[in-house]
Amino acid sequence: MKLGSLKEGGRDGTLIVVSRDLTRAVRATGIAATLQVALEDWSNLAPRLNALSESLNSGDADGVFDLDFNVLAAPLPRAYEFVDGSAYLPHVERVRRARGADVPESFYTDPLMYQATSAAFYGPRDAVRVVSEDYGIDLEAEIVVITDDVPMAVTPAQAAAHIQLIGLVNDVSLRNLIPGELNKGFGFLQSKPRSALSPVFVTPDELGASWRDNKVHLPLLTHINGEWFGAPEAGVDMQFDFSQLVAHAAKTRPLSAGTIVGSGTIANEDTSKGASCFAEKRTVETLRDGKPSTPFMKFGDVVRIEMKNSDGSHIFGAIEQRIEQQPLP
């Protein structure tokens, strides 16, 4: 099934079930007011939501309305946790090689992960607001999984059973602020503003055979201002699968229902597949030419991130956002 949230009913939105073709929807408030509420009682409420989904897709549901992406909030407008990994080591290797640094051996056995901003997410058509272009505005096209309650110290095999939904994220980064923050030795803060989530999250069965080994085996497509930017294969070159990422996050603490776990920027060894962020593209240029030639994003630029099935149909809907200047208070 496919689930989304309308921009109504308060900060956490109103839960809707969306048709498989992303054209129709029905409010699910008779089952759960919000997606967060549904995730907190997933074992009991998911079967009821699935029955509503089947009714919607067969044309039998009441209260059906045409879906308008412009009125959608993020499926989880806010979450208790968003932890983002860096599971695609070709990206890590290239970035470090470009600055003359080796990749520590531990990177191949222990995932990189940080605590990201989760107090609010942009909806799929909301503008990305940044104060200054000098911050180095970048996108990061990624896949996320959403969990129910995950116990502390689960194994990857146990963690896999707690992955309930899958979606996309534009994990916005302000690249020119990152070096100064990392040099302090205390991680990201100002350089990682709000991110945007796909119009819907889907249960793994919606991906069919493309969801296997706890990975999504499809390309993730990005366009900038209508021009192709990249379509790396998400199931290729992923050093750590999602069960390993969830288990890593839960090593010393339980994860609350509604925790979002990100894959990190999708990247392949094969650079002909393009990039999922400007930092990756600029790194490839630096390794090839000695310096980057592609600038970061400017106000007015539009980013579009989407994933399609083998038949060309959309799975999650597209994140499509304009970069806009945030006026000072």
Side-chain angles (χ1 to χ4, degrees):
M1 63 181 162
K2 302 189 176 188
L3 302 173
S5 294
L6 296 173
K7 291 180 177 179
E8 62 178 42
R11 290 191 179 188
D12 294 311
T14 295
L15 178 62
I16 58 173
V17 174
V18 177
S19 63
R20 191 160 286 118
D21 63 3
L22 300 172
T23 63
R24 293 163 294 121
V26 60
R27 287 173 175 80
T29 46
I31 302 171
T34 68
L35 181 53
Q36 181 63 42
V37 169
L39 286 162
E40 289 173 359
D41 192 17
W42 189 253
S43 61
N44 290 319
L45 297 184
R48 295 175 60 191
L49 290 169
N50 191 62
L52 181 57
S53 174
E54 292 299 321
S55 179
L56 172 63
N57 284 300
S58 65
D60 297 329
D62 295 325
V64 176
F65 57 91
D66 292 337
L67 186 65
D68 178 1
F69 288 171
N70 292 301
V71 301
L72 292 181
L76 277 173
R78 56 180 174 171
Y80 288 110
E81 287 196 84
F82 173 24
V83 290
D84 199 15
S86 188
Y88 293 87
L89 289 192
H91 172 72
V92 177
E93 291 167 345
R94 276 194 287 267
V95 169
R96 293 183 72 89
R97 190 164 73 247
R99 65 173 190 258
D102 295 327
V103 178
E105 285 300 317
S106 64
F107 282 26
Y108 297 94
T109 58
D110 195 37
L112 292 167
M113 187 170 285
Y114 74 96
Q115 189 92 34
T117 301
S118 63
F121 290 93
Y122 289 123
R125 293 294 183 273
D126 293 343
V128 174
R129 297 192 175 276
V130 182
V131 170
S132 172
E133 292 177 347
D134 294 338
Y135 291 170
I137 307 166
D138 200 354
L139 74 138
E140 290 189 51
E142 305 180 19
I143 298 169
V144 294
V145 298
I146 298 86
T147 73
D148 58 11
D149 285 306
V150 182
M152 186 192 306
V154 289
T155 65
Q158 293 168 330
H162 293 281
I163 296 172
Q164 304 302 349
L165 297 168
I166 304 168
L168 306 179
V169 65
N170 175 15
D171 179 38
V172 181
S173 292
L174 303 177
R175 297 293 182 184
N176 293 340
L177 301 184
I178 288 177
E181 290 201 304
L182 293 185
N183 286 340
K184 294 178 180 179
F186 214 54
F188 303 121
L189 182 70
Q190 294 173 339
S191 53
K192 300 299 293 187
R194 289 182 177 181
S195 297
L197 297 173
S198 52
V200 300
F201 291 159
V202 310
T203 47
D205 61 286
E206 290 289 336
L207 292 164
S210 297
W211 174 252
R212 60 185 186 274
D213 305 322
N214 299 301
K215 300 177 183 179
V216 178
H217 293 265
L218 289 167
L220 184 56
L221 179 62
T222 300
H223 285 84
I224 305 295
N225 298 326
E227 295 186 3
W228 185 89
F229 188 78
E233 294 286 343
V236 176
D237 300 319
M238 190 179 189
Q239 182 76 10
F240 305 101
D241 67 39
F242 279 109
S243 71
Q244 293 171 302
L245 294 176
V246 172
H248 178 82
K251 180 176 180 177
T252 61
R253 58 185 175 181
L255 304 180
S256 297
T259 292
I260 299 173
V261 181
S263 65
T265 306
I266 296 175
N268 295 156
E269 288 283 359
D270 180 4
T271 58
S272 70
K273 300 288 186 180
S276 294
C277 68
F278 279 85
E280 170 82 5
K281 183 176 178 64
R282 286 164 59 88
T283 296
V284 171
E285 293 168 349
T286 298
L287 292 170
R288 184 188 64 215
D289 306 325
K291 62 180 181 179
S293 54
T294 301
F296 289 116
M297 300 184 78
K298 304 293 185 183
F299 297 137
D301 286 347
V302 175
V303 56
R304 182 180 175 94
I305 300 168
E306 58 199 321
M307 181 173 276
K308 299 179 181 181
N309 278 314
S310 56
D311 63 3
S313 60
H314 282 87
I315 301 171
F316 308 100
I319 298 171
E320 187 165 353
Q321 304 177 284
R322 184 179 299 275
I323 310 299
E324 296 185 0
Q325 186 168 24
Q326 172 66 36
L328 293 174

